[in-house]
Amino acid sequence: MRYLEFYTDGAFSSKTEMGGWASICLEDGEIIDEKSGYEPYSTNNRMELTAFLSALENIDTIETTNTKVVIYTDSAYIANCFKDKWYRKWMSNGWKTSDKQEVKNQDLWRRIIALYIRFINEFSLEVKKVTGHSSDKWNDYVDRLAVSKRKELE
C-alpha cells in the first residue's frame, strides 16, 4: 500500500493583513511536492483553508489506488470540522452554523468538502491535528514556507 502524508499551514499578520500558505506531500519521508502562495488582505483561517485546499487539489492529480493519505494540519478549525463532521450539519442547514449564521469562508469550504467527500469514497483519507510550533519537523517546515510567502507581500 502506498502511504502519502501532506502537511499544511497558513501564516497571517494582523498588523499588515497579509497572508501566506504552504502544503507539502511526503512519500517515504521525502518531499515529493511542495506548493505555496500568498494573499493580501486575508485572514488566518483563509490561509489555513487555502493550504488545506491546495493539498486536496494536489491529491486530485495523484493515482490513489491502494493508497492511504493523511493530511496534517495545526488548525483546530479544520481538524474539528472533519472530526466532528461539522460539514454535514452545514450542508443540511443550507450552509448555516448551528446558531444560524452563514458559514465563513464558504467559497473555500465548499471546494474542500466536495473533494473530501469524493475522496473518502475512493481511498483511505484521514485528517489529523498536529500541534503547531512544537518541533514537529514537517509542520515547522510548512510554517516557515508560509511565513516566507507572507513576507513577500510585506
Side-chain angles (χ1 to χ4, degrees):
M1 174 171 277
R2 185 177 189 197
Y3 181 66
L4 298 174
E5 296 175 292
F6 286 82
Y7 280 80
T8 68
D9 201 16
F12 175 73
S13 168
S14 57
K15 181 179 175 183
T16 63
E17 295 184 338
M18 301 300 167
W21 59 269
S23 69
I24 59 171
C25 177
L26 302 163
E27 186 169 19
D28 299 323
E30 300 291 326
I31 296 174
I32 63 169
D33 195 54
E34 181 175 292
K35 304 221 181 302
S36 60
Y38 49 75
E39 185 176 305
Y41 312 109
S42 191
T43 66
N44 184 62
N45 282 338
R46 282 195 71 79
M47 293 298 86
E48 295 285 354
L49 288 165
T50 301
F52 194 83
L53 177 60
S54 172
L56 289 171
E57 289 174 340
N58 195 349
I59 293 167
D60 202 25
T61 68
I62 297 170
E63 173 55 52
T64 52
T65 304
N66 201 29
T67 301
K68 177 177 173 76
V69 176
V70 178
I71 304 175
Y72 293 93
T73 178
D74 62 9
S75 167
Y77 179 50
I78 293 171
N80 290 339
C81 175
F82 295 103
K83 179 176 71 82
D84 297 333
K85 312 269 190 274
W86 295 346
Y87 65 92
R88 289 181 180 172
K89 295 173 194 158
W90 294 342
M91 291 166 59
S92 67
N93 290 339
W95 287 90
K96 304 248 190 245
T97 62
S98 57
D99 61 353
K100 308 290 186 242
Q101 300 297 312
E102 289 285 325
V103 172
K104 292 181 180 174
N105 303 303
Q106 230 180 100
D107 58 326
L108 297 172
W109 273 121
R110 285 178 181 260
R111 292 167 58 198
I112 287 167
I113 300 309
L115 287 168
Y116 177 80
I117 290 170
R118 192 178 102 213
F119 292 160
I120 61 172
N121 292 313
E122 293 177 8
F123 57 88
S124 175
L125 173 61
E126 201 174 342
V127 177
K128 288 189 177 180
K129 170 82 170 74
V130 63
T131 303
H133 310 284
S134 64
S135 300
D136 178 295
K137 174 184 177 179
W138 296 116
N139 181 257
D140 290 347
Y141 181 89
V142 290
D143 178 66
R144 285 190 306 272
L145 189 56
V147 168
S148 73
K149 286 309 234 183
R150 184 201 81 216
K151 287 182 176 180
E152 285 182 29
L153 290 174
E154 298 176 337

